[in-house]
Amino acid sequence: MSEMDYHHIIVTDDTAAGVASSELKPILQKLLTALEIREKYMHRSLQRFPRNTAQILRSVNGQRWTEQEDVQPDFTCYPADMSQALSEEGIPADLPSRLEMRNGILTLLDCAGNLYTPESLRYPDHSEYTEDLKTVLQIISNGPLKTYCNMRLKILNSKFHLHLLVNEKKEFVDLQAASHSDFYNVGKVDTHIHAAACMNQNMLLQFIRKTYKRDSERVVRENGGKKLTLRELFQCLNLNPDNMDIDALNVHADRETFQRFDRFNEKYNPVGANELRILYLKTNNFIRGEYFAALVKEFVVSLDDASNQFAELRLSIYGSGPNEWKDLADWFFDHKVCSPKVRWMIQVPRIYNVFHKLNKVKSFEEMLDNLFRPIFEATLCPQKNKSLHLFLKYVTAFDSVDDESKTDEGFFPQLPLPANWTSKKNPPYSYYQYYMYSNITVLNHLRRERGMNTFLYRPHCGEAGSHTHLVDGFLTADNISHGLRLKKDPALQYLYYLAQIPIAMSPLSNNSLFLEYGQSPFYQLFQSGLVVSLSTDDPLLFHFTKEALIEEYAVAAQFWKLTTCDMCEIARNSVKQSGLSHQEKQTFLGTNYLKDGPEGNDMQRSNVSQIRIAFRFETWNHELKILVQAGKP
């Protein structure tokens, strides 16, 4: 559809809205500087940066953007025959080399002991990251810039309202013209869901009853050299599964969890018993995670029943020991927990202080070594690490998780290097983000050179705590989860818009933890044109139905009066930001989906009105062109 019959929203001569004309050029140059910094970090780590924004940055500097600069991550597509998904055929040969941890970042040495790096690799050192972080913080703290960004966001919001007034009926007609493009049929991805809570309460309760009835005499736990059967374990807990109900299970988040992350974590323990959490919701236990694998498979069946619905399940790697990756990969391989409807993400809890207190790690560098050395070795020597190599094929990203509301120090150069971080204090958020990002960057270049899939960095960011966390996300993350704190920082919000950084939001989760539903910035961000999606976070704790993602959409639709086109656009955003393969994204977004404009959907119908896509693109492109008009030296 080259020309669409709809009313275009054009506001003339609005480039200096809200600020004096003399202040405009310095403001725009600051915005350009921030965008250039983000582009540098995305390209270095082989993560995504929008073509249009990159082209604008080149034109401002008098350069030409080329196709070769368009870096895209490599995601694995499941084979048509699922029996081949875990096939050991075609595993690459091992590469003779060795690894060495230097200043918290793994480096590769050749057989002679010389430093070996891919030609394209260049990650920022500690001081460069600190300076870039300070630069962006200074930019978003500038008074005139904050005023300007606030006005631009208000204009974007008003344009969207005006667009709905004159084009909403046309959008609906456009949707009706495409068969099988209603909300239930379009592709949608739960881009933020933790595997240990992917099931609902009733599913977990019924599974506990089923296993108790079937396996009551099975040995399921060993404690102090004494082995316990399932019946004996429940007797020790004074529980009878036949008499338990959902209220007794007590896993649903309620008023007591609001602003209490500690109580929220306790909700992962069915009936308050950590023994049941280990048995049913962990991969590494006496029965080698068999029950947890069965629960995940039941969740996958529910996805199979839902049309075009996918999930990116998060599994934990803690860094407390060197065998965690092997144990997780063996769980995945032995129980064949794979499905074309599921991609996997690795979440790393920021709890170094806990492991240090338990004497499991002596320094932060040891924790980083436990986190990254096994996957570097699987990349270099996949023949020696077959199960981990196969598991990593279906891992799309890394996450960083914990309570952001905890106060921590800023990231300053005087902080010790990871090898010298031996105190019981937990490193600050920025410290975690830098070392996670840098190691993923080195790993991505090595894997791309070896013809393997690469990884994105998609941390929890801006759920609570300091707004500086969102600056870390702006520098290091392909996309983030939550982003609630953008509500209070118009400058950062506008930068996230210009860079089109995706945000997976979970209003029902936030409602029980940090921000009541009516105060969620989700709809305001959506109206302004930020790339937001809806996700469930923890269905076990927050949802009631078998289709938790549909429940999330349903509540949002009722509360904010979302139209069918709105929900399809949000679903489209979830597909764009997800780790689905390029082939799958082409199915839902069009064969040229990498292009930013409506022409990206020229061969197939998108899962949202072409009119809405065109409006979003024209509005975003207008904001970028303002940078060109007044940003040239």
Side-chain angles (χ1 to χ4, degrees), residues 284-521:
N284 187 17
N285 52 32
F286 187 82
I287 61 172
R288 300 176 62 82
E290 180 184 329
Y291 286 167
F292 182 45
L295 276 165
V296 171
K297 288 180 178 179
E298 285 194 14
F299 169 76
V300 170
V301 170
S302 70
L303 288 180
D304 291 336
D305 294 338
S307 176
N308 295 331
Q309 189 170 317
F310 302 81
E312 295 181 302
L313 295 179
R314 284 160 162 80
L315 295 168
S316 293
I317 290 290
Y318 298 92
S320 62
N323 296 320
E324 290 180 343
W325 277 104
K326 183 181 184 305
D327 292 341
L328 182 60
D330 288 345
W331 170 82
F332 177 82
F333 191 81
D334 294 344
H335 298 293
K336 295 179 172 53
V337 192
C338 58
S339 165
K341 288 296 191 77
V342 172
R343 297 298 182 275
W344 301 92
M345 290 178 59
I346 299 301
Q347 61 181 24
V348 180
R350 299 188 300 276
I351 51 175
Y352 156 82
N353 54 324
V354 174
F355 300 133
H356 184 274
K357 185 177 181 180
L358 296 173
N359 294 319
K360 290 189 175 183
V361 294
K362 295 179 180 179
S363 68
F364 188 68
E365 184 170 272
E366 184 179 349
M367 179 178 173
L368 289 170
D369 196 78
N370 292 335
L371 283 172
F372 288 104
R373 184 177 293 272
I375 49 178
F376 271 85
E377 290 176 344
T379 301
L380 293 169
C381 302
Q383 293 286 347
K384 294 180 182 178
N385 303 274
K386 290 183 179 179
S387 61
L388 182 51
H389 168 74
L390 291 170
F391 173 57
L392 290 174
K393 286 173 62 177
Y394 304 109
V395 172
T396 62
F398 285 81
D399 188 3
S400 174
V401 300
D402 198 33
D403 183 4
E404 283 191 71
S405 64
K406 295 176 181 176
T407 56
D408 58 22
E409 305 174 37
F411 187 17
F412 301 108
Q414 62 265 30
L415 292 179
L417 291 170
N420 300 323
W421 193 290
T422 56
S423 71
K424 63 181 180 180
K425 291 178 63 177
N426 204 31
Y429 184 91
S430 293
Y431 200 86
Y432 273 98
Q433 304 316 302
Y434 169 73
Y435 287 106
M436 288 288 294
Y437 167 85
S438 296
N439 279 287
I440 292 169
T441 297
V442 178
L443 180 62
N444 276 349
H445 283 269
L446 178 60
R447 290 182 67 83
R448 175 160 288 188
E449 194 171 79
R450 300 222 68 200
M452 300 175 183
N453 61 294
T454 57
F455 308 115
L456 301 176
Y457 188 42
R458 297 166 55 181
H460 280 52
C461 183
E463 184 178 17
S466 172
H467 75 291
T468 60
H469 297 182
L470 286 162
V471 180
D472 288 297
F474 182 78
L475 265 59
T476 64
D478 178 90
N479 59 81
I480 65 171
S481 296
H482 293 300
L484 299 179
R485 295 285 294 174
L486 283 173
K487 178 181 181 180
K488 297 185 177 181
D489 199 315
L492 259 180
Q493 188 181 143
Y494 189 60
L495 281 171
Y496 269 66
Y497 170 76
L498 293 175
Q500 290 288 279
I501 301 174
I503 308 167
M505 303 191 73
S506 307
L508 285 176
S509 166
N510 303 143
N511 185 62
S512 296
L513 279 172
F514 291 110
L515 193 66
E516 292 181 0
Y517 205 95
Q519 297 177 344
S520 172

